[in-house]
Amino acid sequence: MGILNTLLQAVTWWNGATLNTMIYTRRKGVKVGEDGQGNVFYRNADDSRRWVIFNGEAEASRVDADWHGWLHRTFNEVPSEKPLQHKPWEKPHQENLTGTMLAYAPAGSIRAGGVPKERSDYEAWSPE
């Protein structure tokens, strides 16, 4: 199964880095840091390019806010050297739950469990 996993990782973008990205990262990448989720961040020698190699599934919502700002050049300080000062009201990062059983379901939704509630503020149209 190891050879199959290596082959899948080499040709699919959602399984980590593709073969070309791995080669480019080894040749030209300078490791800048790593976040709490194991994602590794790189830049090239002249800092004209910045990228991330995801630890597991490539999901953009898994990049922390401070590293997101560094990737998009909102600020140039590397978050591992100068972390952001987080506000006390900020919630910890939560991954994107869309498409999972834990996704948000509003009240009255069939997915919310139980029978949908009767609506008293709506009357269905019926032709005369």
Side-chain angles (χ1 to χ4, degrees):
M1 200 69 172
I3 294 171
L4 182 60
N5 285 340
T6 305
L7 180 64
L8 280 174
Q9 185 177 10
V11 296
T12 57
W13 58 266
W14 60 87
N15 245 342
T18 61
L19 182 60
N20 287 339
T21 303
M22 287 188 294
I23 292 170
Y24 184 83
T25 300
R26 290 206 179 166
R27 288 187 69 227
K28 303 209 179 212
V30 176
K31 183 178 176 181
V32 176
E34 191 171 326
D35 66 4
Q37 298 183 32
N39 301 325
V40 184
F41 296 86
Y42 294 92
R43 66 175 179 82
N44 60 357
D46 64 351
D47 199 24
S48 63
R49 218 172 152 214
R50 297 175 178 179
W51 67 96
V52 59
I53 303 293
F54 289 98
N55 178 22
E57 184 181 4
E59 173 61 48
S61 70
R62 292 182 53 223
V63 175
D64 295 333
D66 44 357
W67 282 105
H68 181 271
W70 179 80
L71 280 172
H72 294 274
R73 299 181 187 278
T74 303
F75 45 87
N76 286 325
E77 296 83 16
V78 178
S80 57
E81 296 170 2
K82 186 179 176 188
L84 286 178
Q85 298 297 321
H86 294 285
K87 306 292 183 199
W89 46 263
E90 288 184 88
K91 292 183 179 180
H93 174 69
Q94 182 180 18
E95 67 181 76
N96 185 355
L97 300 174
T98 303
T100 68
M101 292 303 293
L102 300 174
Y104 172 74
S109 169
I110 295 172
R111 285 192 43 246
V115 180
K117 299 175 185 171
E118 281 292 320
R119 293 185 60 175
S120 60
D121 63 338
Y122 174 77
E123 184 179 324
W125 177 80
S126 59
E128 295 179 19

